Amino acid sequence: MSLDVPAALLERAEAGRVDDAEFVDCVRQSLPYAWSVVSQVAAEAQSGTAEFADHAVPPPSEAERGQLLRALASDAIRGGLERHFGVKFAFQNCHRVAAFKLSAVGGEIYQEFISPVAQLRNQSPELRDC
C-alpha cells in the first residue's frame, strides 16, 4: 500500500470530498522520507536564484527508495506535492529528485534535465538495480 489512509479520510474519498490539504497531509504522514526530500528541494528551489534545486543522495535503505518511487511515480501524489510546494518535480535514477521553479518549466535547463540524454548520462553500474 502506498499511503496509510485514516478511516475518516477514506470515507470522505469514497464520497468524493477530499481537498488537497488533506491529501498532502496523508502523503506527508505516510511517506516521511519522501516528504523530507521533496520539501527540502522545493524550499531550496523557491529560495534560491537558480532555476532548480536537486537531491542526488541515494536513500539509506530500500524502504526509503520505495517511498520516493511511490511519491514521484504516482500522478496524483506528485501532482498534489507540486501544487502544495508550487514547483515542478523531476526524477531520475530512483533517487535524484529535482524541484524546478514553475517559471523554468519548458526552459532549456528543464528540458535538458528531463531529456533521454541526461538520463543516460546519469547511469552507472551501481545504480543499475536501484
Side-chain angles (χ1 to χ4, degrees), residues 1-3 27 30-42 54-75 77-79 81 85 89-99 127 130:
M1 178 179 350
S2 292
L3 301 175
V27 171
S30 300
L31 306 172
Y33 177 79
W35 179 268
S36 71
V37 171
V38 299
S39 62
Q40 174 195 350
V41 296
D54 70 333
H55 175 90
V57 178
S61 75
E62 288 306 309
E64 284 88 359
R65 186 181 318 282
Q67 286 188 32
L68 283 177
L69 289 170
R70 287 192 295 281
L72 296 168
S74 164
D75 290 339
I77 295 173
R78 182 190 290 215
L81 293 171
F85 290 111
F89 290 112
F91 190 47
Q92 289 181 351
N93 292 347
C94 301
H95 69 269
R96 186 173 182 205
V97 179
L127 296 176
C130 74

Side-chain angles (χ1 to χ4, degrees), residues 14-39:
E14 289 172 351
R17 296 186 312 262
V18 176
D19 64 27
D20 256 2
E22 292 176 295
F23 178 64
V24 168
D25 188 55
C26 181
V27 171
R28 180 185 61 77
Q29 292 181 37
S30 300
L31 306 172
Y33 177 79
W35 179 268
S36 71
V37 171
V38 299
S39 62

